[in-house]
């Protein structure tokens, strides 16, 4: 990212200065300045047009969330609400089980994030800082496994959890009960490890100097101590990056959660919750309330992202440049 | 490690030789239960007939045979997947490359980055409904804007001839920022002095882009192309929210069809077979891309 900010500074030199044109006085200089202006206008024209397209649907949602049902039912509907109905956001909590949905989202997403950070950091440390038999094989599996799309796993994973022995009333053969399907574990366990996370943490762990680890070994540190006291503190920015990527991905996850919670409404997260409102969405009287609910599901992630975006960008580019 | 050290401190029983295996235990266990087992299980299921209520019945290749010879809808969903993939990659990748080009030469990068990242951190259900209001509502904001310049917009999501276009548009919108950031990171890694040298030699900006920037950007292009294609072929969450595959299956892609086959129709054997067919498609397409891009250089792209 240092590179980009450096470029941002040099880009200032690209900016045409109108005063130069008048001072130079020659037609050639005029033509050059004119071309620079044209480039400048095209450049920021493209960026601004794209930005409007990015923001417009969100703005449409927020404006919709502030309407009254009467405004929505008018023909044609009133687009700009006369008085912004801010209490629609409060109603999203009082009229819908929003608080339960958000609680489930926080529990599931938080647990997945913590577990993935631990498993990825441990495995990444082992793969980056040790030499052992089978290392290349495991590394290759980690890389290849990322290609397998998730839809392939939905059916078998569902039934692995359903027939989990000794859980949810199941006997040792996995018969008789519902297995893990009615518990938070059904939403967390299938994501306890991410191959991408293992790979990313390995890349970060490679930056830990071997001399530091060897010195600590001589001082009598245990292998786990090396991991916990030396490697982990050094890769803290990498942990933030991975944690943020995982948090955003799983806060927004819907297909698996929807599949599992169909029979367990008490586990529904906020994304599944708003998906369940689908049929109600077609009733125009409720639309403002639902647009408010959408906004509630979206805003926490956007705020988190805006605060930590430099970590996010680094995670994205590490996956591409070194992979 | 001496024997006495082993006796003194249990933590020391973990030696430099055994430690990596211990650190990898969670990953290996997970790999067995939630990676290898599902792959084997669904391969087995693809040769059976199973509705989850009674035991699976072995029927050999009958599922695969049915899909290719007696299920025209499956073939239609494959065609839809092809159209969707070509659409989102063909529009999304060049568009994000163009945006990355202007973005990496502009000021206020933090601002642009924040704006273009909004869709990629938004959950797909919200994206679906936000766009449903923009597109499908008879008084949606897009058709209102089109009306301002005198165009009568179509009923985007309710018309079989425009629904796929609408779905592709929304998908591109959702992934534009992510690909733009990937490309701009790739552009940032290119040594600026190469461009300077070419400029001094009198090369035009277009020439510099084709002869220097694109070849050096090849690893990033390869990465973005392959991940975009894999994502597009296996994607269905947005379509599930926006159109549920309709109208009249015009947006029904294979992954969505498989999901319905499994969890609505409870044809779990056939759905597993279809999933494996799609996996093979993904592998073949990825291999093809790797070969073409490695051998032919960026001209092929």
């Amino acid at each position: 990212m240092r590179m980009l900010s450096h470029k941002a500074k040099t880009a200032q030199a690209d900016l045409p200065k109108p005063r130069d044109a008048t001072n130079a006085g020659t037609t050639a200089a005029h033509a050059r300045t004119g071309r620079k202006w044209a480039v400048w206008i095209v450049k920021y024209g493209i960026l601004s047009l794209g930005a409007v397209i990015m923001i417009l649907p969100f703005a449409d949602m927020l404006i919709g969330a502030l309407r009254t049902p009467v405004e929505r039912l008018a023909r044609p509907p009133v687009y700009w609400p006369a008085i912004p109905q801010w209490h629609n956001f409060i109603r999203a909590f009082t009229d819908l089980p929003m608080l339960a949905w958000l609680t489930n989202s926080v529990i599931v997403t938080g647990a997945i994030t913590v577990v993935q950070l631990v498993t990825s950091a441990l495995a990444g440390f082992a793969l980056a800082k040790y030499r052992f038999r089978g290392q290349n094989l495991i590394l290759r599996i980690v890389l290849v496994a990322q290609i397998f799309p998730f839809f392939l796993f939905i059916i078998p994973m569902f039934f692995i959890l359903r027939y989990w022995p000794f859980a949810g009333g199941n006997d040792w053969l996995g018969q008789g009960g519902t297995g893990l399907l009615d518990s938070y574990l059904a939403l967390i366990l299938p994501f306890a490890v991410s191959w991408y996370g293992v790979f990313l943490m390995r890349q970060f762990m490679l930056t830990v100097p071997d001399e530091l680890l060897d010195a600590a070994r001589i001082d009598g540190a245990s292998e786990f101590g090396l991991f916990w006291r030396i490697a982990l503190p050094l890769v803290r920015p990498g942990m933030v990056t991975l944690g943020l990527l995982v948090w955003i991905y799983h806060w927004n996850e819907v297909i698996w959660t929807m599949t599992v919670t169909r029979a367990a409404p008490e586990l529904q997260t906020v994304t599944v919750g708003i998906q369940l409102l689908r049929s109600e969405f077609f009733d125009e009287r409720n639309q403002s309330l639902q647009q408010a609910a959408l906004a509630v599901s979206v805003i926490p992630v956007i705020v988190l992202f805006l605060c930590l975006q430099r970590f996010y960008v680094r995670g994205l580019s590490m996956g591409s440049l070194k992979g | 490690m001496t024997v006495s050290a082993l006796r003194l401190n249990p933590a020391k029983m973990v030696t430099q030789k055994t430690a990596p295996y211990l650190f990898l235990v969670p990953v290996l266990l997970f790999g067995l239960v939630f990676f290898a087992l599902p792959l084997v299980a669904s391969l087995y299921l693809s040769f059976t007939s199973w509705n989850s209520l009674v035991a699976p019945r072995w029927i050999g290749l009958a599922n695969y045979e049915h899909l290719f010879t007696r299920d025209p809808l499956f073939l239609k969903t494959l065609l839809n997947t092809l159209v969707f993939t070509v659409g989102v990659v063909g529009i999304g990748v060049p568009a994000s490359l163009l945006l990355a080009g202007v973005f990496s030469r502009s000021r206020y990068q933090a601002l642009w980055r924040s704006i273009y990242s909004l869709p990629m951190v938004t959950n797909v259900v919200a994206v679906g409904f936000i766009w449903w209001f923009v597109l499908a509502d008879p008084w949606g904001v897009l058709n209102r804007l089109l009306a301002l310049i005198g165009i009568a917009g179509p009923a985007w999501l309710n018309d079989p001839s425009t629904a796929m276009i609408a779905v592709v548009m929304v998908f591109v919108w959702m992934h534009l920022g992510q690909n733009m950031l990937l490309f701009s990171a790739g552009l940032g890694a290119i040594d600026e002095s190469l461009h300077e040298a070419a400029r001094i030699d009198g090369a035009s900006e277009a020439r510099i882009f084709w002869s220097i920037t694109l070849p050096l950007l090849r690893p990033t292009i390869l990465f973005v192309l392959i991940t975009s294609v894999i994502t597009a072929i296996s994607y269905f969450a947005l379509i599930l929210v926006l159109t549920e595959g309709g109208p009249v299956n015009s947006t029904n892609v294979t992954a969505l069809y498989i999901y319905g086959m499994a969890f609505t129709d409870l044809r779990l054997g056939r759905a597993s077979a279809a999933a494996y067919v799609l996996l093979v498609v993904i592998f073949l397409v990825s291999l093809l891309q790797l070969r073409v891009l490695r051998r032919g250089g960026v001209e092929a792209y």
Side-chain angles (χ1 to χ4, degrees), chain A residues 1 3-4 7-8 11-12 15 43-44 46-48 50-51 53-58 60-61 72 75-77 79 119 122-123 125-127 130 132-133 138 145 147-149 151-161 163-164 189-193 195 198 217 220-224 227 248 252 254-255 258-259 262 271 274-275 278 281-282 287 291 294 297-298 301-302 305-306 309 312-313 316-317 319-321, chain B residues 11-12 14-16 19-21 23-24 26-28 30-31 33-35 37-39 41-42 45 50 52 98-99 102-107 109-110 112-126 129-134 137 139 141 144-145 173 176 178 181-182 184-189 192 220 223 230 234 236-237 240-244 255 258-259 262-263 268 271-272 275-276 278-279 282-283:
Chain A
M1 281 310 75
M3 224 131 188
L4 286 183
K7 281 192 119 182
Q12 293 181 19
L15 269 181
K43 193 163 72 177
Y44 288 101
I46 292 174
L47 278 174
S48 309
I53 296 171
M54 290 293 131
I55 292 176
L56 198 75
F58 289 102
D60 185 59
M61 166 187 74
R72 184 62 189 80
R75 288 293 174 268
Y79 192 75
T119 56
L122 277 171
F125 182 63
L127 289 170
Y130 290 91
F132 55 96
R133 278 171 65 103
I138 294 176
I147 302 173
F148 286 79
F151 77 83
L152 193 63
F153 297 90
I154 299 177
I155 299 170
M157 266 186 190
F158 184 86
F159 290 99
I160 287 170
L161 295 168
Y163 296 119
W164 199 275
L189 266 188
F191 307 107
V193 169
W195 304 108
V198 172
R217 270 192 194 105
S222 68
E223 297 297 316
F224 184 77
F227 167 75
I248 291 176
N252 293 341
V254 63
I255 295 292
M258 194 175 75
T259 310
R262 208 176 273 187
T271 47
I274 54 177
Q275 164 72 7
R278 189 188 164 88
F281 268 104
F282 300 101
Q287 276 184 7
Q291 281 169 313
L294 290 182
S297 82
V298 167
V301 192
I302 290 182
F305 173 80
L306 291 182
Q309 58 168 307
Y312 190 96
V313 175
L316 279 186
S317 48
S320 73
L321 294 182
Chain B
K12 297 264 167 144
V14 183
T15 65
Q16 203 172 342
Y21 297 106
F23 292 161
L24 281 164
V27 170
L28 295 176
F30 177 90
V33 179
F34 289 108
F35 185 73
L37 181 60
L39 284 181
S42 57
L45 284 178
W50 191 39
S52 87
L98 172 75
L99 273 173
V102 288
F103 165 77
S104 59
R105 284 153 205 269
S106 67
R107 295 175 69 188
Q109 291 200 336
W112 299 120
R113 186 165 48 230
S114 304
I115 293 172
Y116 281 95
S117 303
L118 288 178
M120 76 185 185
V121 298
T122 301
N123 68 74
V124 64
V125 180
F129 282 124
I130 288 170
W131 276 95
W132 191 85
F133 284 115
V134 172
D137 193 311
W139 287 276
V141 71
R144 276 175 189 247
L145 286 174
W173 177 84
L176 199 62
Q178 177 137 348
L181 291 178
L182 284 170
S184 77
L187 287 171
E192 189 60 30
T220 313
F223 178 81
I230 293 178
S234 53
F236 67 100
L240 183 72
V241 181
L242 259 184
T243 64
E244 287 183 316
I258 294 171
Y259 186 79
F263 291 100
L268 294 150
S272 302
Y276 258 91
L278 199 55
L279 178 70
I282 288 173
F283 267 126

Side-chain angles (χ1 to χ4, degrees), chain A residues 105 108 112 150 186-187 191 250-264 267-273, chain B residues 259:
Chain A
S105 277
V108 171
I112 291 174
F150 184 68
L187 300 178
F191 307 107
H250 286 283
W251 181 276
N252 293 341
E253 206 285 328
V254 63
I255 295 292
W256 177 255
T257 316
M258 194 175 75
T259 310
V260 168
T261 59
R262 208 176 273 187
L267 297 180
Q268 274 151 3
T269 60
V270 67
T271 47
V272 172
Chain B
Y259 186 79

Side-chain angles (χ1 to χ4, degrees), chain A residues 130-211:
Chain A
Y130 290 91
R131 294 285 160 269
F132 55 96
R133 278 171 65 103
Q135 182 172 24
N136 283 330
L137 178 70
I138 294 176
L139 197 56
R140 204 163 294 165
I141 292 173
V142 168
L143 285 171
V144 172
Q146 293 180 45
I147 302 173
F148 286 79
F150 184 68
F151 77 83
L152 193 63
F153 297 90
I154 299 177
I155 299 170
M157 266 186 190
F158 184 86
F159 290 99
I160 287 170
L161 295 168
R162 162 77 179 70
Y163 296 119
W164 199 275
F166 303 118
N170 278 354
D171 57 20
W172 65 282
L173 284 170
Q175 303 293 320
T178 52
L180 293 177
L181 284 184
D182 293 339
S183 70
Y184 284 116
L185 281 177
L187 300 178
I188 297 165
L189 266 188
F191 307 107
V193 169
S194 102
W195 304 108
Y196 175 78
V198 172
F199 177 70
L200 192 71
M201 284 319 294
R202 173 187 174 266
Q203 300 305 103
F204 282 112
M205 287 293 184
L206 283 174
T207 64
V208 175
D210 285 324
E211 299 78 34

